[in-house]
Amino acid sequence: MKKLFKTHETYVALTVIALCLVIGIINPVFFSAPNIVNLFRNATVNGIMAFALMMGIIIGGIDVAFPAVAVCSMYLTTKTLESMGYDGPVFIPILAAALIGTLLGLINGLIITKFDLPAFIVTLGTSSLYHGLLVWLVGSKPVNRLEPPLEAFGKMEIFRVTNDTTSAALPWTFVFMVAMALVVWFILNKTMLGRTIFAIGGDRTSAERAGYPVKRTIVFTYTFIGMAGGLAGIIHAIQSQMCIPTDLMGCEMMIIAAVVLGGTTISGGRGTVLGTCLGLAVITIAKNSLILVGITATWQRFVLGLIIVIGTAVSAYQALRASRKIAPVMTEEEEGGVVNG
Amino acid sequence: MAKKFNANDLKKVMADDAQLTRLFFIMLGSFILMCILVPDKFPTWNNMKSMMFQFPEIGIFALAVSLGMLLGGIDLSVVSVGNISTIIAALLMNKLVEGGMNGGLAVVIGCVVAMVIGCICGTFNGLLIAKLGIPAMIATLGAMEVFAGLGVGLTDGAAIFTPEAYAFIGAGYIAGIPVPLIIFLVVMVIFTIFLQKKTFGMELYLVGTNRKAARFAGISTDMTIIRTHMAGGLLAAIGGIILSSRVTSAKASYGSSYILQCLLVAILGGINPNGGFGKVPGIVMAILTLQFLSSGFNMMRADSYFKTFIWGFVLIAAMIINYYGDKAAEKKKRAAAAAKRAAEKAAAAAENN
């Protein structure tokens, strides 16, 4: 029980509950079933990207290129399908988008490791490189109507809830987010790869000396984020039933915020799937429900910014306090104060 | 004899600052390239004049980003700090002018207010980073949302037009020299002095190189971080003033593409993103290079997305070139050290004999 109160996840969970209660008391519409289903629907695309990005942050890096990767994948895929009048199974375009993402992510990873460059600046560069190249060469004309297989897949519902005023459905695309969360959880907790990622994030030099394949793992992580970006892109297109090549650009801020709010330390080495779920919940609720409590659209960005600053401040301050605590504890141990744990 | 000595001297300077030398040739190269590609429009007095009005604002924003990078962090909030400072200043100036105040005086008050707000925003960033321990990138990214959101909230996202007298800063001349260029030069000279000759600069570089060592050397690292970000906020406000006065309005969404260009200027200018290394002359040469390319592309009517692509490409290429440059320099240094050791050994051996 005591341990439960020490974890960061508990605080984030309390924040989520508090946020829900405040919004729900001011405007009971928040607790209506369609609204809640809509929140889950809206979290799908961001969630796919957030879980993958979390791995990048745990390893001690960062990626801001995944929105551009997502746009490249969805636009290239939907544009190609449109020109060939595609009518095959739906998994092929999804696979193709993920493949494009994988390739672009691999390029990021290779540049970062080969030349030992800061990930933030590299991905910022490749972000504008990818997006600029895409719109310059392919154009910016939106794909207004997806091909029938994708359109049909977007309309497939897991279930639908209806009350007297509105109705909302959870689409099958939601499954992709759940799958991504499970895959990331599995990699981080059940595989050697996951241990390597945590080891590199904790202390890269030590990981290198201990014989972990550091560079290979970093390349894998950025490739994985690229793959998730590609997947998120095509899912976004399927959910919105169209493809605009300027959509999603600039969403990296929210995703990073979700991951960091969830307790993943930005300097690496710590982070959980559960935490990211909760961080994602905070961001999704704040983004979609501020309007319900009467905060107008013009002030939304300010309030979101405040939530991000306060959230990251709390988690950073805890880490800072913890690191200051370690020093005296260690001297005590040296004096022979600790006998049995 | 004297002539030979000079040549050697130049060679030594070039070897000492291989990066600046390289950058100088890149700048010259991009200028010549554009002269060849657009010979009828690029090398004209008119173009030179318009470039002198364009590059100062990004140059100053880039210097603000660079200050953060010298600390080993980064400052991503510069453009939004510039916008929020000028939005509040513009609202205030309009009120003052409506109240019957002399336009010139109102502009002076407005500029002072903008700079004070810039300092406050910078201090806010510094406090988040130093006192709460938020990594600079996340802190300034969050602060960017707060400041930009405040700007949108105050203005409903619309542009606030500025008084007539304000336009002088962005479009006027003093003794035939564009005012933005004068501001740019003054800022660069002041910061060169502060970074290279004053204690503040010394402390800044030390904290950027090794925060722990700096603390053990008796430097108040927290104070250095806060002060540096305050200076960054001030610079951001100055950049914002030039920007808003050039377009005679203030708006929360101005300069949204600047942050990539600022980073590009800083990296190209030889600021080490891991902190501790980089000089103002590098930034000046880098911003000129960027301006030559940008103006040239505009004259060729290049697609704006082509420019986005090129900036990304140049950013990556510059870092890769720096990587190989550093590697070569290190190799040279090692070879020199080995040669010196060998010579010493030989001398010692000769002495023994």
Side-chain angles (χ1 to χ4, degrees), chain A residues 115 124 128 253 266 298 302, chain B residues 135 141 145-146 156 263 312 323:
Chain A
F115 304 106
L124 198 70
S128 77
M253 178 65 213
I266 193 81
T298 49
F302 177 67
Chain B
L141 214 54
E145 289 294 305
V146 173
D156 275 341
L263 267 171
Y323 169 81

Side-chain angles (χ1 to χ4, degrees), chain B residues 51-128:
Chain B
M51 285 200 293
M52 281 183 214
F53 281 104
Q54 284 166 15
F55 76 81
E57 60 196 47
I58 302 191
I60 292 173
F61 280 135
L63 181 60
V65 174
S66 306
L67 284 182
M69 277 167 79
L70 285 176
L71 276 177
I74 198 161
D75 190 346
L76 299 173
S77 68
V78 284
V79 179
S80 61
V81 170
N83 284 332
I84 186 67
S85 318
T86 48
I87 284 171
I88 296 176
L91 289 171
L92 179 75
M93 282 190 290
N94 287 342
K95 275 262 151 39
L96 289 176
V97 171
E98 262 171 43
M101 188 188 264
N102 174 294
L105 186 62
V107 168
V108 172
I109 294 176
C111 288
V112 171
V113 167
M115 286 192 262
V116 169
I117 294 168
C119 285
I120 294 172
C121 293
T123 313
F124 177 72
N125 285 336
L127 286 173
L128 289 181

Side-chain angles (χ1 to χ4, degrees), chain B residues 204-336:
Chain B
L204 170 56
Y205 279 108
L206 259 174
V207 173
T209 318
N210 190 333
R211 202 154 149 183
K212 211 175 252 174
R215 188 149 54 226
F216 284 134
I219 294 171
S220 164
T221 50
D222 285 1
M223 229 22 230
T224 308
I225 292 172
I226 293 170
R227 264 193 221 141
T228 308
H229 279 278
M230 201 171 106
L234 176 67
L235 285 175
I238 296 173
I241 290 171
I242 299 178
L243 167 65
S244 59
S245 130
R246 195 170 55 81
V247 296
T248 63
S249 60
K251 192 179 174 186
S253 61
Y254 279 155
S256 50
S257 67
Y258 279 12
I259 202 73
L260 180 85
Q261 295 179 42
C262 288
L263 267 171
L264 177 59
V265 168
I267 297 285
L268 199 62
I271 309 289
N272 185 334
N274 298 319
F277 297 94
K279 286 178 182 158
V280 176
I283 300 174
V284 177
M285 285 196 265
I287 184 64
L288 287 174
T289 310
L290 189 78
Q291 184 63 54
F292 294 152
L293 293 177
S294 178
S295 293
F297 287 141
N298 281 347
M299 285 167 182
M300 290 188 275
R301 298 184 188 286
D303 191 287
S304 75
Y305 282 98
F306 170 73
K307 271 167 79 179
T308 315
F309 159 68
I310 285 292
W311 299 152
F313 179 77
V314 174
L315 179 63
I316 304 281
M319 284 195 294
I320 294 177
I321 292 171
N322 281 350
Y323 169 81
Y324 282 116
D326 288 352
K327 225 177 171 183
E330 202 166 292
K331 218 173 173 182
K332 223 171 172 181
K333 228 167 157 182
R334 257 192 223 149

Side-chain angles (χ1 to χ4, degrees), chain A:
Chain A
M1 193 67 194
K2 208 174 168 191
K3 203 178 158 200
L4 188 69
F5 276 102
K6 269 190 179 161
T7 59
H8 185 86
E9 284 78 8
T10 318
Y11 290 104
V12 191
L14 289 176
T15 315
V16 174
I17 294 168
L19 204 61
C20 288
L21 283 178
V22 170
I23 296 173
I25 287 167
I26 297 176
N27 192 340
V29 171
F30 178 78
F31 283 123
S32 70
N35 184 52
I36 292 172
V37 169
N38 266 335
L39 286 179
F40 277 105
R41 182 181 181 276
N42 290 342
T44 308
V45 173
N46 288 351
I48 295 172
M49 296 193 270
F51 291 122
L53 180 68
M54 182 185 68
M55 286 187 11
I57 295 183
I58 290 177
I59 209 169
I62 186 90
D63 190 330
V64 290
F66 58 85
V69 171
V71 172
C72 285
S73 312
M74 73 173 182
Y75 195 53
L76 286 177
T77 314
T78 50
K79 205 80 182 169
T80 315
L81 295 190
E82 190 187 39
S83 67
M84 62 191 268
Y86 183 79
D87 201 19
V90 73
F91 73 90
I92 292 179
I94 294 178
L95 212 63
L99 263 179
I100 295 172
T102 309
L103 184 72
L104 297 179
L106 179 68
I107 296 174
N108 286 342
L110 287 178
I111 295 175
I112 291 165
T113 49
K114 177 85 180 55
F115 304 106
D116 212 7
L117 296 174
F120 175 73
I121 298 171
V122 169
T123 50
L124 198 70
T126 53
S127 167
S128 77
L129 196 156
Y130 295 157
H131 193 239
L133 200 60
L134 177 82
V135 181
W136 173 48
L137 291 181
V138 188
S140 57
K141 217 171 138 237
V143 178
N144 286 321
R145 196 184 159 85
L146 297 184
E147 292 309 301
L150 290 181
E151 197 182 343
F153 183 63
K155 284 180 180 158
M156 274 167 68
E157 296 163 2
I158 303 178
F159 63 83
R160 173 174 281 277
V161 287
T162 321
N163 65 7
D164 29 308
T165 48
T166 47
S167 132
L170 193 64
W172 272 100
T173 44
F174 182 71
V175 172
F176 282 90
M177 185 184 96
V178 178
M180 182 58 79
L182 289 177
V183 167
V184 170
W185 179 85
F186 182 79
I187 291 178
L188 287 178
N189 293 299
K190 297 288 169 196
T191 64
M192 194 58 205
L193 185 64
R195 299 319 305 163
T196 315
I197 289 173
F198 277 111
I200 296 171
D203 190 334
R204 188 175 162 167
T205 317
S206 308
E208 246 159 26
R209 303 234 165 110
Y212 284 109
V214 171
K215 287 204 164 171
R216 217 171 346 128
T217 313
I218 294 177
V219 173
F220 165 81
T221 309
Y222 287 101
T223 313
F224 187 82
I225 297 173
M227 190 272 288
L231 203 57
I234 193 76
I235 298 292
H236 175 79
I238 290 173
Q239 276 196 351
S240 53
Q241 296 281 323
M242 53 157 52
C243 177
I244 307 168
T246 46
D247 260 12
L248 290 177
M249 291 302 284
C251 76
E252 68 273 10
M253 178 65 213
M254 286 300 137
I255 314 278
I256 295 172
V259 176
V260 174
L261 280 178
T264 309
T265 44
I266 193 81
S267 47
R270 206 191 107 66
T272 59
V273 171
L274 179 64
T276 301
C277 281
L278 294 167
L280 188 67
V282 174
I283 293 291
T284 311
I285 292 169
K287 213 170 149 65
N288 291 292
S289 307
L290 285 178
I291 196 94
L292 289 180
V293 294
I295 296 174
T296 53
T298 49
W299 284 101
Q300 266 181 30
R301 195 169 173 194
F302 177 67
V303 175
L304 268 171
L306 272 188
I307 293 176
I308 293 165
V309 168
I310 294 169
T312 46
V314 168
S315 90
Y317 190 65
Q318 274 174 351
L320 192 73
R321 245 185 12 193
S323 75
R324 278 182 187 157
K325 251 184 209 161
I326 290 172
V329 166
M330 274 167 72
T331 49
E332 265 174 39
E333 277 178 24
E334 275 166 18
E335 283 161 17
V338 177
V339 183
N340 42 20

